[in-house]
Amino acid sequence: MASDALTTSSYIKHHLTNLTYGQFPEGHAHAGHWGFAHSGEEAAAMGFWAINVDSMLFSIGLGVLFLALFRMAAKTASVDTPSGWQNFVEWIVEFIDDSVRGSFSGKNPLVAPLALTLFVWIFLMNLMDLIAVDHIPWLASLMGVSHLKIVPTTDPNITFGLALPVFFLVLYYSIKIKGVGGFFGELAFHPFPKWMFPVNLLLEGVTLIARPLSHSLRLFGNLYAGEMIFILIALMYGGGMALGFFGGLLQLGWAIFHILIITLQAFIFMTLTIVYLDMASQESH
Amino acid sequence: MNFNATLIGQTITFIVFVWFCMKFVWPPIMNALAERKKKIADGLAAAERGLHEKVLAEERAREILREAKEQAGEIIHRADKRAAEIVDEAKVDARAEGDRLKTAAAAEIDQQLNRVREQLRGQVVSIALAGAGKVLEREVDEATHGELLKKLAADI
């Protein structure tokens, strides 16, 4: 942002780069030292043991915000006179509870809080997308931060970080409820007859593995694309008065449409989690 | 799009958040909701009961009112009867008293009549004797004709 030679591609690239903290690789000027990567390539070169500080900060911050607000309502939850905020929280909680009751047939005290956390947390993270793309990174650049992505769900690390625990929960409950044999049988003796079990295993295995992938990539893809469009619209502001005005209208329209997308994606993620856990908990296939 | 330790960080964060939500957020809210649901149900049931009791009470009130009316009617009826009896008794008494008074008056009248008659009879005898004496110029002796004259006076 701060550089004078600001081109369209560098602008886009800049906006899609996380603020990554890690160890500089061999061949770098600061090889062996720990620090913030200055570009996407540098971040990639840092390998696995680097961390996207911006994603983590916003993710944790929004999660804490969600838990604090809901805890406040839970602490003061009164039976007789629910206040405004408590009403709102109760409305969401009842909505989640209905969804869980509708999709989850078993009895598991984990599923509903899990669904609530996922829904509200993802919604809040998605909501960051509606803040104009340049505002917070610009503020951060004033404080010397080179890169900042404020929408955690446009970082695949974050969406996989949500989908993988769900996947492990699915495995855990599948084995706990059906037993190892039952779970294996579900994978091996379906949909074709038993003697074709290698084919079955392959098909069902792919299905199983595809679940966390599609689960997390759906959220990531939608939000990444949405963010991308916001960035492209933001580019128009540099193109003179008329184009800037048109861009403003576009941004407004896309933002309004995006309200639907972010809510929908949060809801889809939550519902899929419930459905996967329900499938894992069901005795018969 | 490169994977790094953020994945692990996010996983741990997620687990901690879900644990917190499950422990401190979900149960109190659900409890409050369940309790309110129960309270509302209780309230509605109480209202229903109250309504039922009101209907019963109204019925009882009507019953009591009807009984009271009946009793009042009976009391009035009895009072009427008693009044009639009293009037009748009074009539009988009055008639008896009247008769008694009439009889007494009649008896007194008879007495007085007899007394007057006796007086008159005596006076008539005297007058007759005097008259006859004057007419017969001493021929009539009071002693001898007295008997005859007394008989005459009794005939009067």
Side-chain angles (χ1 to χ4, degrees):
Chain A
M1 267 299 285
S3 71
D4 297 322
L6 181 64
T7 63
T8 302
S9 71
S10 76
Y11 177 79
I12 294 173
K13 219 177 200 174
H14 182 269
H15 269 290
L16 295 179
T17 307
N18 280 105
L19 179 66
T20 310
Y21 184 84
Q23 195 175 26
F24 291 110
E26 295 292 320
H28 192 272
H30 304 285
H33 286 78
W34 289 80
F36 289 106
H38 297 104
S39 68
E41 291 77 33
E42 266 188 33
M46 279 172 174
F48 187 77
W49 291 109
I51 194 153
N52 295 340
V53 179
D54 48 0
S55 294
M56 280 317 298
L57 274 182
F58 279 101
S59 158
I60 293 173
L62 290 168
V64 167
L65 178 74
F66 147 64
L67 288 175
L69 287 175
F70 273 59
R71 174 68 187 153
M72 197 175 78
K75 244 162 122 176
T76 58
S78 78
V79 176
D80 296 317
T81 49
S83 59
W85 175 245
Q86 195 195 332
N87 263 329
F88 181 72
V89 168
E90 280 178 6
W91 174 58
I92 293 180
V93 165
E94 281 203 310
F95 163 67
I96 303 288
D97 196 45
D98 280 349
S99 298
V100 172
R101 269 178 220 287
S103 307
F104 192 78
S105 49
K107 246 187 150 31
N108 191 334
L110 172 68
V111 177
L114 178 75
L116 175 69
T117 310
L118 279 174
F119 179 69
V120 181
W121 195 16
I122 293 174
F123 176 77
L124 286 176
M125 290 196 281
N126 292 351
L127 196 63
M128 300 302 287
D129 215 0
L130 293 182
I131 299 174
V133 283
D134 277 323
H135 287 182
I136 293 178
W138 177 71
L139 279 177
S141 75
L142 290 183
M143 291 183 286
V145 177
S146 60
H147 297 81
L148 193 69
K149 261 174 86 176
I150 63 165
V151 192
T153 37
T154 57
D155 181 350
N157 286 298
I158 296 296
T159 58
F160 270 96
L162 295 172
L164 281 181
V166 172
F167 179 63
F168 287 126
L169 272 180
V170 168
L171 292 183
Y172 170 72
Y173 281 116
S174 290
I175 291 170
K176 188 186 170 196
I177 289 166
K178 298 164 191 159
V180 177
F183 184 45
F184 179 78
E186 199 177 281
L187 292 179
F189 305 141
H190 225 79
F192 298 116
K194 279 185 184 183
W195 59 270
M196 281 181 77
F197 79 91
V199 182
N200 289 333
L201 208 56
L202 186 72
L203 280 175
E204 290 289 320
V206 168
T207 308
L208 191 70
I209 301 300
R211 272 196 216 150
L213 279 175
S214 68
H215 200 188
S216 55
L217 287 179
R218 180 180 299 109
L219 178 62
F220 163 70
N222 272 284
L223 269 292
Y224 191 81
E227 177 81 342
M228 195 70 164
I229 289 173
F230 274 125
I231 293 170
L232 291 177
I233 291 171
L235 274 174
M236 298 173 93
Y237 294 136
M241 275 288 275
L243 205 58
F245 182 72
F246 182 61
L249 280 183
L250 270 183
Q251 172 151 8
L252 183 69
W254 182 242
I256 291 170
F257 181 61
H258 214 55
I259 294 173
L260 180 70
I261 292 180
I262 61 177
T263 318
L264 195 66
Q265 285 306 320
F267 179 71
I268 288 173
F269 199 97
M270 177 199 81
T271 308
L272 281 176
T273 303
I274 299 170
V275 169
Y276 289 159
L277 285 173
D278 179 51
M279 283 159 73
S281 304
Q282 259 166 5
E283 200 63 70
S284 59
H285 193 68
Chain B
M1 178 173 160
N2 48 295
F3 285 102
N4 55 28
T6 312
L7 183 62
I8 297 171
Q10 174 71 2
T11 303
I12 295 166
T13 312
F14 178 43
I15 291 168
V16 171
F17 283 172
V18 170
W19 169 80
F20 185 89
C21 182
M22 193 176 149
K23 204 92 181 164
F24 300 111
V25 174
W26 188 264
I29 294 174
M30 282 321 273
N31 283 347
L33 285 177
E35 214 167 301
R36 186 171 322 136
K37 211 176 268 174
K38 193 178 160 294
K39 210 163 180 177
I40 289 170
D42 287 354
L44 285 177
E48 189 85 7
R49 219 166 35 241
L51 203 68
H52 187 64
E53 267 167 18
K54 184 182 153 250
V55 169
L56 282 183
E58 269 174 0
E59 213 162 88
R60 206 159 52 232
R62 256 203 308 278
E63 182 76 12
I64 288 171
L65 205 65
R66 201 175 54 72
E67 268 175 24
K69 263 184 194 156
E70 252 172 35
Q71 267 177 11
E74 203 179 319
I75 287 169
I76 288 169
H77 180 67
R78 268 214 304 269
D80 276 351
K81 220 165 93 182
R82 180 85 192 111
E85 273 173 17
I86 288 171
V87 167
D88 282 352
E89 271 173 26
K91 267 185 193 160
V92 170
D93 282 357
R95 197 168 288 138
E97 181 70 10
D99 285 352
R100 201 177 56 77
L101 285 176
K102 217 157 70 183
T103 319
E108 197 165 331
I109 288 167
D110 279 352
Q111 234 177 350
Q112 276 180 6
L113 203 62
N114 284 338
R115 202 162 55 236
V116 170
R117 197 177 274 154
E118 285 302 316
Q119 265 178 1
L120 277 177
R121 200 176 281 147
Q123 281 171 1
V124 165
V125 171
S126 312
I127 291 167
L129 276 181
K134 281 211 178 118
V135 171
L136 298 173
E137 299 284 334
R138 299 268 183 155
E139 273 189 32
V140 178
D141 184 30
E142 209 170 317
T144 45
H145 297 101
E147 201 73 22
L148 182 78
L149 282 171
K150 258 187 197 146
K151 233 186 257 173
L152 197 71
D155 287 344
I156 295 172

